[in-house]
Amino acid sequence: MNQAKPGGGLPRLEQLSLKYILVPLGKRVFTWESALKMFHNEVKRIEKLLKEVEEAKCRERVMIDRVFGIEDHSRDYSITMVIEHLNIVGYGIMSVIDRLSNEESVDEAIKIENVKPQGSTENELDRFLAFSRVYNSFIEKLPKRKSKMTKAHPWFVELNNMDWSIFMAIHTFVHRRQIEAILQRLKT
């Protein structure tokens, strides 16, 4: 089966519904605190899901049906690859939030193909759990004001610092669902 190239995007209808309905709705519903709570809950769910999974199973690539919010190219991942992606994106988003919170521009292009896993197999879950503690502390200490500066997500709209914190929570939710789908496929 031929997969779309990295950065190929979401199906058009899904991208439009996210861009014009779900992202604007999320901006109205979430607060700094609720976004952080959702992120924290998703991390705990991932940790619980993977608690008893053998490392060799975590490294096994499987093809899953596409999960809402992930592009076609990301369907052929291992759990370790998903966690590596969460680490790459997490540190990137934290940097964007920090810069926007200081009303600094983020001039570097954000490209989906640049946040794909590179094939690390060492301690990705431990790294992710450590990142989540750093991120929680970072957000808790951050002044809770919305920045005037924004940075666009490549698939969506301009996002301010708080919007990016909301995106972090939703992104983790989407990839937790991907991990669940991989686990299901590993059982068959």
Side-chain angles (χ1 to χ4, degrees):
M1 166 184 247
N2 290 337
Q3 287 180 269
K5 65 180 178 143
L10 301 174
R12 186 81 174 133
L13 184 59
E14 185 174 320
Q15 186 171 355
L16 291 173
S17 68
L18 282 164
K19 184 175 184 174
Y20 294 111
I21 299 169
L22 296 176
V23 170
L25 180 64
K27 289 177 164 203
R28 285 182 178 58
V29 172
F30 280 94
T31 64
W32 284 100
E33 292 76 17
S34 63
L36 184 60
K37 183 175 182 174
M38 180 180 175
F39 172 75
H40 178 75
N41 289 340
E42 290 300 324
V43 170
K44 290 297 178 196
R45 289 179 77 175
I46 290 169
E47 184 177 23
K48 185 177 179 182
L49 282 168
L50 300 181
K51 187 176 184 178
E52 304 297 326
V53 180
E54 296 174 18
E55 185 61 35
K57 282 286 186 193
C58 286
R59 289 191 304 268
E60 191 175 324
R61 287 178 83 147
V62 295
M63 180 67 76
I64 61 169
D65 293 334
R66 202 181 62 74
V67 175
F68 186 85
I70 68 165
E71 64 181 9
D72 185 62
H73 180 269
S74 301
R75 294 187 311 123
D76 181 25
Y77 275 16
S78 67
I79 292 168
T80 300
M81 292 171 74
V82 176
I83 299 296
E84 181 184 358
H85 169 72
L86 288 170
N87 283 324
I88 294 166
V89 170
Y91 280 106
I93 289 175
M94 192 166 67
S95 175
V96 168
I97 292 171
D98 185 46
R99 289 172 65 187
L100 294 177
S101 295
N102 291 312
E103 298 299 344
E104 298 171 6
S105 66
V106 180
D107 297 326
E108 301 84 10
I110 297 174
K111 295 182 178 179
I112 303 299
E113 58 269 28
N114 292 346
V115 296
K116 296 296 181 178
Q118 302 301 306
S120 170
T121 59
E122 295 299 318
N123 305 316
E124 282 301 328
L125 180 58
D126 291 339
R127 288 182 57 229
F128 177 64
L129 296 175
F131 162 74
S132 73
R133 291 187 294 274
V134 169
Y135 180 76
N136 277 312
S137 176
F138 167 74
I139 294 295
E140 286 173 354
K141 293 175 184 172
L142 196 68
K144 304 302 186 283
R145 61 176 174 71
K146 293 180 182 179
S147 64
K148 290 179 178 48
M149 294 296 293
T150 61
K151 179 65 179 178
H153 182 284
W155 292 345
F156 309 124
V157 296
E158 292 287 330
L159 303 174
N160 65 27
N161 58 348
M162 187 174 127
D163 300 335
W164 277 104
S165 76
I166 296 166
F167 178 77
M168 174 75 90
I170 293 169
H171 180 261
T172 307
F173 163 80
V174 166
H175 288 289
R176 188 256 308 152
R177 292 182 64 241
Q178 181 183 14
I179 291 168
E180 288 173 335
I182 292 170
L183 286 168
Q184 284 290 67
R185 185 56 57 99
L186 287 170
K187 288 180 183 177
T188 59

